């Protein structure tokens, strides 16, 4: 009796593990199907974005593309957006650490005590090193900003998400996938 009980428990565990694996695979396939891929020949990169988001190509100088998340209601005051900016690296900057320090100094100088830096960490795109900062500005607008950047030769690629910090939980998987998906052709 004891051996058959152990066998039944092991079979139950194996079935549960198989169902969990199948559910995870289903979620992964569903999640990946939510994306399209944007290719930019001028700035030589590609990035995935949610299919339901609007694409605005080169709305102004150095902004390669902006992705606008649909508003949840007509009463939304902030429209979440994600943009890719490509600009020359300043001549006084010689490495990623200096650029990251300059960005952090600029952000804290502009926003002073109205922002909280939640994350400030290195980030990797394949063999390229980058950096990521996540900030919140609770007052007055409840903003969340995610910035990630990578220096490539004499250019910096800056990925920026800006949105309502109260809605970020529902967007974070998409934002992380967008950042992770950046592919540079340089």
């Amino acid at each position: 009796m004891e051996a058959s009980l152990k066998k039944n428990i092991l079979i139950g565990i194996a079935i549960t593990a198989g169902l969990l694996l199948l559910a995870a695979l289903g979620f992964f396939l569903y999640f990946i199907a939510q994306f399209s891929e944007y290719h930019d020949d001028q700035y030589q990169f590609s990035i995935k974005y949610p299919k339901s988001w609007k694409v605005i190509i080169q709305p102004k100088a150095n902004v390669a593309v902006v992705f606008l998340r649909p508003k949840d209601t007509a009463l939304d005051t902030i429209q979440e957006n994600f943009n890719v900016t490509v600009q020359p690296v300043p001549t006084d900057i010689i490495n990623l650490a200096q650029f990251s320090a300059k960005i952090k100094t600029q952000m804290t100088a502009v926003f002073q005590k109205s922002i909280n830096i939640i994350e400030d960490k290195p980030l990797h795109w394949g063999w390229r090193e980058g950096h990521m900062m996540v900030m919140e500005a609770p007052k007055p607008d409840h903003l969340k900003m995610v910035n990630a950047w990578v220096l490539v030769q004499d250019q910096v690629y800056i990925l920026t998400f800006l949105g309502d910090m109260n809605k970020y939980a529902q967007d974070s998987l998409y934002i992380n996938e967008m950042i992770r998906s950046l592919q540079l052709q340089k």
Side-chain angles (χ1 to χ4, degrees):
M1 178 83 164
E2 195 171 294
S4 72
L5 180 61
K6 286 181 183 179
K7 182 180 175 183
N8 288 340
I9 290 172
L10 287 175
I11 290 171
I13 290 172
I15 290 172
T16 302
L19 289 173
L20 288 174
L21 186 60
L22 189 60
L25 178 62
F27 175 76
F28 174 74
L29 293 174
Y30 170 76
F31 181 72
I32 294 302
Q34 302 300 307
F35 289 89
S36 289
E37 191 163 355
Y38 172 79
H39 295 273
D40 192 299
D41 293 329
Q42 179 181 347
Y43 293 110
Q44 299 180 333
F45 74 91
S46 64
I47 192 168
K48 293 180 183 175
Y49 67 94
K51 289 179 180 178
S52 63
W53 291 29
K54 182 179 178 182
V55 179
I56 303 172
I57 299 171
Q58 297 181 347
K60 57 184 175 176
N62 296 331
V63 179
V65 63
V66 174
F67 303 101
L68 291 175
R69 180 184 180 278
K71 288 186 174 187
D72 292 325
T73 70
L75 300 175
D76 283 352
T77 57
I78 299 169
Q79 186 164 16
E80 285 72 18
N81 64 83
F82 185 103
N83 66 66
V84 180
T85 304
V86 183
Q87 59 191 43
V89 175
T91 56
D92 61 330
I93 302 291
I94 61 170
N95 60 34
L96 179 65
Q98 284 184 328
F99 186 82
S100 299
K102 186 172 186 170
I103 291 288
K104 188 173 181 177
T105 300
Q106 288 175 343
M107 291 298 220
T108 52
V110 169
F111 296 106
Q112 298 174 353
K113 295 184 182 205
S114 65
I115 65 165
N116 301 319
I117 297 174
I118 308 300
E119 287 183 59
D120 186 5
K121 65 182 185 181
L123 187 66
H124 298 278
W125 281 285
W127 55 272
R128 288 190 168 95
E129 290 189 28
H131 199 87
M132 182 169 152
M133 282 179 60
V134 179
M135 295 158 278
E136 290 182 346
K139 296 179 184 176
D141 296 320
H142 303 285
L143 296 176
K144 180 91 156 197
M145 182 185 292
V146 178
N147 283 310
W149 55 86
V150 60
L151 274 62
V152 179
Q153 298 165 1
D154 60 345
Q155 291 184 313
V156 60
Y157 289 75
I158 304 172
L159 287 67
T160 303
F161 168 78
L162 182 66
D164 186 326
M165 63 189 269
N166 298 322
K167 294 181 183 179
Y168 184 70
Q170 70 189 41
D171 291 330
S172 64
L173 283 176
Y174 294 105
I175 302 312
N176 289 329
E177 178 64 16
M178 292 172 81
I179 292 170
R180 187 202 64 73
S181 74
L182 178 69
Q183 296 288 317
L184 303 171
Q185 282 85 45
K186 288 187 166 195

